[in-house]
Amino acid sequence: MRFDDRVDAGRRLAARLEDLRDVGPVVLGLPRGGVPVAFEVAHALGAPLDVILVRKLGVPYHRELGFGAIGEGGIRVISEDIMRMSRVDEDDLAEVQRAEEAELVRQAERFRGGRPRIPLTGRTVIVVDDGIATGASASAACRVARAEGAARVVLAVPVAPPDAAERIGPEVDELICLSTPPLFSAVGEWYRDFSQTADEEVVDLLHRSARETGGNGDGGEEGDGDCPGPARSGPVELPVAGGRVRLPGDLDVPAGAPGVVVFAHGSGSSRFSPRNRAVAAALGEAGLGTLLFDLLTPEEEADRANVFAVGPLARRLTEVTHWLRRRTALPVCYFGASTGAAAALLAAADAAEEHARGEGEDITAVVSRGGRPDLAGNDRLAQVTAPTLLVVGGRDETVLDLNRQAAAALRCENRLAVVPGATHLFEEPGALDTVADLAREWFTGHLAAPPAPAG
């Protein structure tokens, strides 16, 4: 079987995949040649389309011969046999991988233009390429999809060698291939037109598909409607400053979660803060939802004054909270660290004022880790109504004194918890685990409790 071009191949492939329409799949194309094929599949199934980025690791003196591939999320697939036959050593591998990792980052920015990846958690994912040669790229792509939470991975290609199923089988739940010619040597020989796909075509197809499906991965414009439904887990993009700035975040809302904890980092750290992510993981294990996001863009972080501007940071946190409330009816809590704790308490005071005016919901609970609540100011601290836990290291003496003063200024239910022997970053063995335990108990206790009467 030969194909006129990738469009023809995609339409024929879509006909074989029609039975997956009802499960609401996500279609992922491997750039560049796999995207025109994937576009036809996504169009026919009414499914969202994204790229899944992998890079072939080519033998240094014969780049067309791949000895493996890498993908987003640190995924790597290596063919030990090809490495051995081609005499590729570990130094060669490291050099090739560094170059391809840089290209992976470039492609992500080029093709997505800053848009987040479509969340795959719990979804059926159809990975599409224009054909399989060695299978390394396809294997890496399927592993990436699995690592991002896909419940079922289907690899769909127009053409592959007869042993493709044996090569790819362990990585996928199903392989759909239209043709497996016995005399297979290269993918391109099974196309009448196998001309190179340009980056611009990939970008255009992604934009066209986004317009068809509403651009948010589930066939509808994000945020439409008056009734919040279940929040979708995965990467998110948060509009702030009237939509002029969009901040990346990671939302995780387990089924049956009693509430969502929004993290406000401080001192210039990001959503990748290892301490906050460790606490978030512990909260997730307890069944709580979490949202970690970057309070500042990389350009804004370059000006250190922005890091300590707790008022503007609090306004951003409030905007993000409004965004979240439009997507879920779950109660919202705050976890603030360092200067982020002051921003969290200011935002909690704003929420209390809105609630008093009948314009919104109050924040259910606040936890501060090694925070600077004093930066919120005593007047504003007195306006916070959300139960607040202040966690400070016993050896973080200056911050401990500031937290004692802040606790005295708070008029809401509050508690100061001192972790013995811990310094500001809670780097001592077991210290961060104690923080996570305290936070989990505070949040779950107040999420389970009925709201306190007004006044």
Side-chain angles (χ1 to χ4, degrees):
M1 179 185 293
R2 277 188 167 79
F3 306 96
D4 292 338
D5 53 20
R6 292 182 177 90
V7 172
D8 174 47
R11 290 173 179 171
R12 293 201 215 179
L13 195 57
R16 281 281 300 275
L17 295 164
E18 182 63 30
D19 62 334
L20 293 177
R21 172 191 293 274
D22 292 340
V23 302
V26 176
V27 177
L28 303 177
L30 280 102
R32 291 182 293 265
V35 175
V37 183
F39 175 82
E40 298 299 328
V41 171
H43 175 74
L45 301 183
L49 173 67
D50 198 358
V51 286
I52 187 159
L53 299 177
V54 298
R55 293 291 300 173
K56 181 172 70 176
L57 301 176
V59 174
Y61 57 84
H62 183 18
R63 292 288 180 164
E64 289 304 309
L65 177 59
F67 63 85
I70 59 171
E72 292 180 287
I75 304 300
R76 187 174 78 174
V77 180
I78 298 295
S79 170
E80 300 292 347
D81 289 343
I82 296 178
M83 280 190 66
R84 185 170 54 255
M85 289 187 297
S86 304
R87 298 182 180 178
V88 175
D89 59 25
E90 290 297 324
D91 290 339
D92 293 330
L93 190 157
E95 181 180 354
V96 172
Q97 183 167 333
R98 277 195 300 270
E100 296 303 337
E101 284 173 343
E103 181 62 15
L104 204 63
V105 172
R106 187 199 73 81
Q107 283 193 341
E109 177 59 32
R110 172 64 173 139
F111 296 144
R112 295 200 185 98
R115 295 190 308 276
R117 284 178 274 179
I118 293 177
L120 305 183
T121 303
R123 306 287 292 271
T124 292
V125 172
I126 306 174
V127 177
V128 179
D129 203 359
D130 53 13
I132 292 175
T134 65
S137 295
S139 292
C142 293
R143 286 194 185 184
V144 170
R146 190 82 73 187
E148 290 183 20
R152 182 184 179 202
V153 178
V154 178
L155 176 62
V157 294
V159 62
D163 63 349
E166 181 180 342
R167 298 185 190 185
I168 304 296
E171 308 296 342
V172 300
D173 297 295
E174 185 176 3
L175 171 64
I176 302 294
C177 182
L178 302 182
S179 177
T180 54
L183 300 176
F184 182 97
S185 60
V187 172
E189 67 179 333
W190 302 100
Y191 285 81
R192 294 181 180 87
D193 177 3
F194 197 64
S195 54
Q196 188 172 2
T197 302
D199 283 2
E200 291 75 14
E201 182 179 353
V202 173
V203 173
D204 178 63
L205 291 173
L206 291 174
H207 280 304
R208 286 171 57 189
S209 181
R211 287 195 298 270
E212 288 183 4
T213 61
N216 65 356
D218 66 355
E221 190 64 34
E222 192 171 35
D224 285 350
D226 297 323
C227 299
R232 292 187 300 275
S233 297
V236 293
E237 199 170 66
L238 307 166
V240 296
R244 296 188 302 275
V245 177
R246 304 185 78 84
L247 304 172
D250 295 311
L251 177 64
D252 184 11
V253 185
V260 181
V261 179
V262 180
F263 282 70
H265 58 74
S267 303
S269 62
S270 72
R271 70 190 189 281
F272 298 116
S273 160
R275 286 170 288 278
N276 279 356
R277 294 191 83 86
V279 174
L283 297 181
E285 290 175 1
L288 299 175
T290 57
L291 172 61
L292 296 101
F293 72 101
D294 292 349
L295 275 165
L296 298 170
T297 66
E299 294 75 20
E300 291 168 337
E301 287 176 355
D303 183 351
R304 293 295 293 173
N306 290 327
V307 173
F308 299 96
V310 294
L313 295 179
R315 287 193 289 274
R316 287 202 169 173
L317 185 54
T318 295
E319 287 185 88
V320 168
T321 303
H322 290 164
W323 176 92
L324 184 60
R325 291 198 190 281
R326 291 194 295 271
R327 285 151 183 82
T328 179
L330 294 174
V332 175
C333 303
Y334 288 155
F335 183 98
S338 192
T339 53
L345 287 164
L346 284 174
D350 290 339
E353 290 183 348
E354 291 178 357
H355 183 59
R357 296 194 302 265
E359 297 175 0
E361 296 298 322
D362 203 352
I363 299 303
T364 300
V366 177
V367 172
S368 162
R369 171 183 65 79
R372 290 292 309 276
D374 57 294
L375 295 176
N378 287 351
D379 291 345
R380 297 293 279 151
L381 288 175
Q383 296 173 327
V384 175
T385 56
T388 299
L389 173 66
L390 307 172
V391 185
V392 187
R395 293 167 57 195
D396 193 7
E397 296 177 0
T398 300
V399 172
L400 180 54
D401 286 341
L402 293 171
N403 274 258
R404 289 192 177 111
Q405 297 170 33
L410 288 166
R411 296 292 177 262
C412 59
E413 175 193 349
N414 69 86
R415 174 187 164 202
L416 176 62
V418 180
V419 180
T423 52
H424 185 63
L425 295 180
F426 298 91
E427 295 176 306
E428 294 72 23
L432 195 60
D433 291 337
T434 301
V435 173
D437 290 343
L438 289 165
R440 183 184 64 250
E441 292 170 5
W442 192 259
F443 288 134
T444 56
H446 287 90
L447 285 166

